[in-house]
Amino acid sequence: MQSQDNVKIGMIGLGYVGLPLAVEFGKIIPVIGLDIIPERIEELKAGKDSSLEVEPEELAKASKLTFTCNPDDLKGCNVYIVTVPTPIDHHKRPDLSPLEGASLAIGNILSKGDIVIYESTVYPGATEETCIPLLEQASGLTFNKDFFAGYSPERINPGDKEHRVTNILKVTSGSTPEIANFVDELYQRVITAGTYKASSIKVAEASKVIENTQRDVNIGLINELAQIFGHLGIDTQEVLEAAGTKWNFLPFRPGLVGGHCIGVDPYYLVHKAQEVGYTPTIIPATRALNDNMGQYVAQRVIRLMAQHRRSIVDANVLLLGFSFKENCPDLRNTRVVDIMAELEGYHANISVYDPWINPDEAHHEYSIALEKTLAPNTYDAIIIAVAHDEFREMGIDKIRALGKPGAVIFDTKYLFPAQDTDGRL
C-alpha cells in the first residue's frame, strides 16, 4: 500500500468531475490528468476550461498538475482516480464502456501496491464485478493482494459556484479497512468540508445512485401535480408557494429533468434491481413521467396557440435555452430536445437560442444550428426552457417583442409572474 507522502495521482477523465478534483490535488500533490479528447488537453494546457467549472487563476495555482492524451504517460503514478462518464444507451440500459476502457487502460500500466479509486456513478457492485476483473485481466495482478481499489462518488453540481468540490462532504470507501483509511485520508487533504467513510464500496456506490434517484422521484411527483393542476386550471407555482408555508414541505419545482445525473442514474439502479430479481415500480414510473415532460410542454403550447387562433403548422417557435440547466454550458442529456421533437412533428419551424452553449458542440451532439441573434416580430410562440440569468435580465417586454402580435409565451421556469405570460408549468 502507498504512503500519503509519496502519492502521485493519475486522473482519468477531465470533465466536470475530474478537472476540479485534479486542480485541487494538483496544488499539493503531483497529478497527471488524462483525457481522450486532444482539444480538451490543448485548452487546459493553455489555461482555459470551456466547461467554466475552473477559473484560469485556479488552474494556474495547480502547479503540480500536468495534462496528457497518452495513457502511457501515467506510468509511475501509484493512485489512479477514474472520473469518466457513465451514460445509458438508446434502450435506457447502463453503458459501462467508458468505465471498462479506463479500467483496461489502467490495468496495462498498473504496478504492485497501486490503488484505483472510482468516482463515476454506477449501480452497487459495478466496481468489484466489472472494473476489478478488467484491472486483473490487463495487469496480471491479483486484487487486494497486488493492487487495491476504492470508491468515492462525485458530488459535482455543474454551474454551481457555491457548492464546490472542496466544500461538499465526500463519501469514501476502500476494498480493505486499511485502504478505506488511506482513501479517506487522501481526500481529507483537499476536501475542507470533511469526509464520510462508508463501510464498503457497495454502500458508497448505492449512496450515490440513490441521491439522484431521490431527487428524480421528488421532481416527478411535482411534475405529475403540475399536469393535474394544469387540467384543473390552477397555477402550480401558487399551489407550491401555499403548501411551502408548512415547515417540512420540500421545495421542489416542476420542469425538464435532464443532465448526466438525475436523468440517467436511476436507470442504473433499475438495471441492477432487475438483475437480482426485483422489479422496481416507483423509479421506472418516475423516469417515464419525467422523460415525457418535454412532450407535455409542447402540447400545452400547441393548445395555447389554438386558443389564440394560431396554427402550429409552419409556425415559428423560439426556444430560449438549450443546456440541461441554468447558467451552465452543459448540454448532456438536455431534455429541451424533446420539446423540439414534439413540435417538429407538427411541422413547426424551431429556432433555438442559448448564449451559454458552444454552437459547434450543439451541432455535433444534436445536429442543430443555434441562433446567433434574435429578430423582433418574428415568432408565433416563445418557450422559456432554461432559466439563464440573461433571459431574466432581458425582461418579459423584450422577450414579448421578439414575437408577432398575439404570440404565445410559455414559461417553464417561472422566470416571470404568471400574469406576464400566456402559460407556465
Side-chain angles (χ1 to χ4, degrees):
M1 190 178 83
Q2 304 298 332
S3 163
Q4 294 286 347
D5 296 330
N6 68 349
V7 167
K8 184 177 182 181
I9 295 175
M11 187 73 64
I12 295 85
L14 295 173
Y16 288 87
V17 175
L19 181 64
L21 188 61
V23 167
E24 294 305 321
F25 274 126
K27 295 175 182 178
I28 60 171
I29 299 172
V31 178
I32 302 176
L34 170 73
D35 200 282
I36 61 173
I37 303 175
E39 294 81 5
R40 177 66 167 162
I41 294 300
E42 291 306 311
E43 73 171 21
L44 292 175
K45 285 182 176 179
K48 300 176 183 178
D49 171 26
S50 59
S51 73
L52 305 181
E53 287 300 303
V54 179
E55 299 296 331
E57 53 269 26
E58 287 299 307
L59 266 175
K61 292 178 184 177
S63 58
K64 297 179 182 290
L65 173 60
T66 58
F67 303 105
T68 184
C69 269
N70 186 356
D72 289 339
D73 291 340
L74 271 60
K75 289 179 179 177
C77 293
N78 46 35
V79 174
Y80 298 92
I81 301 179
V82 181
T83 62
V84 298
T86 43
I88 52 175
D89 64 19
H90 294 299
H91 302 288
K92 311 293 188 183
R93 297 175 302 198
D95 177 8
L96 296 179
S97 57
L99 206 56
E100 292 167 344
S103 298
L104 288 172
I106 294 170
N108 288 329
I109 56 177
L110 202 62
S111 299
K112 286 190 175 183
D114 289 355
I115 301 171
V116 185
I117 304 169
Y118 292 88
E119 290 216 356
S120 307
T121 304
V122 291
Y123 50 76
T127 299
E128 292 157 297
E129 296 165 9
T130 299
C131 300
I132 299 304
L134 293 175
L135 292 172
E136 289 186 314
Q137 171 190 322
S139 67
L141 301 176
T142 302
F143 178 51
N144 274 346
K145 176 185 175 184
D146 300 322
F147 73 95
F148 307 89
Y151 184 81
S152 181
E154 59 88 2
R155 278 178 167 169
I156 294 295
N157 186 26
D160 189 336
K161 300 305 181 184
E162 179 182 354
H163 300 98
R164 310 300 296 160
V165 64
T166 57
N167 63 17
I168 301 174
L169 192 78
K170 198 87 162 74
V171 174
T172 66
S173 65
S175 56
T176 70
E178 294 78 17
I179 294 301
N181 288 336
F182 177 89
V183 172
D184 197 64
E185 291 171 7
L186 178 64
Y187 280 101
Q188 284 180 14
R189 298 175 69 173
V190 295
I191 306 297
T192 57
T195 58
Y196 178 93
K197 186 169 57 177
S199 62
S200 69
I201 287 176
K202 283 186 179 180
V203 167
E205 291 170 324
S207 74
K208 170 57 183 179
V209 75
I210 71 165
E211 287 178 18
N212 294 330
T213 302
Q214 183 187 67
R215 284 187 56 78
D216 194 38
V217 170
N218 280 320
I219 297 170
L221 170 62
I222 303 301
N223 276 339
E224 184 156 72
L225 293 175
Q227 296 189 41
I228 293 171
F229 297 145
H231 286 289
L232 293 174
I234 304 172
D235 186 84
T236 303
Q237 176 72 352
E238 292 182 8
V239 174
L240 295 176
E241 288 175 352
T245 59
K246 189 168 187 279
W247 74 90
N248 60 351
F249 187 82
L250 300 178
F252 287 92
R253 291 294 182 269
L256 305 176
V257 185
H260 191 64
C261 294
I262 301 177
V264 172
D265 297 343
Y267 287 115
Y268 274 70
L269 191 55
V270 168
H271 167 82
K272 189 61 178 180
Q274 292 172 336
E275 190 177 77
V276 297
Y278 178 79
T279 303
T281 53
I282 294 175
I283 301 171
T286 299
R287 280 281 73 241
L289 193 152
N290 285 341
D291 277 349
N292 286 329
M293 282 304 288
Q295 182 182 28
Y296 172 73
V297 168
Q299 289 296 328
R300 283 282 305 275
V301 171
I302 291 170
R303 286 199 298 272
L304 283 168
M305 292 180 67
Q307 292 166 4
H308 285 68
R309 298 184 180 278
R310 289 178 177 272
S311 171
I312 187 64
V313 178
D314 292 327
N316 296 325
V317 180
L318 172 64
L319 286 167
L320 291 176
F322 189 68
S323 60
F324 91 89
K325 63 179 293 188
E326 67 276 4
N327 305 325
C328 173
D330 192 348
L331 47 68
R332 292 175 299 173
N333 194 37
T334 175
R335 299 321 328 154
V336 178
V337 295
D338 299 333
I339 302 176
M340 296 176 60
E342 184 72 8
L343 294 175
E344 287 171 347
Y346 288 85
H347 303 290
N349 304 311
I350 310 299
S351 300
V352 183
Y353 177 76
D354 193 318
W356 282 83
I357 294 295
N358 182 323
D360 293 335
E361 186 177 0
H363 186 267
H364 179 266
E365 296 295 330
Y366 296 98
S367 299
I368 71 163
L370 296 179
E371 299 295 321
K372 297 179 180 179
T373 58
L374 296 174
N377 195 34
T378 301
Y379 303 101
D380 299 286
I382 300 171
I383 303 173
I384 302 169
V386 185
H388 290 320
D389 287 345
E390 286 84 348
F391 302 149
R392 190 188 308 272
E393 293 164 2
M394 187 184 297
I396 192 63
D397 291 337
K398 288 186 178 179
I399 290 175
R400 190 169 288 283
L402 298 172
K404 300 174 183 177
V408 166
I409 297 181
F410 191 84
D411 185 359
T412 72
K413 303 301 293 187
Y414 303 117
L415 274 190
F416 304 104
Q419 63 269 21
D420 292 339
T421 66
D422 300 292
R424 58 183 190 173
L425 279 179

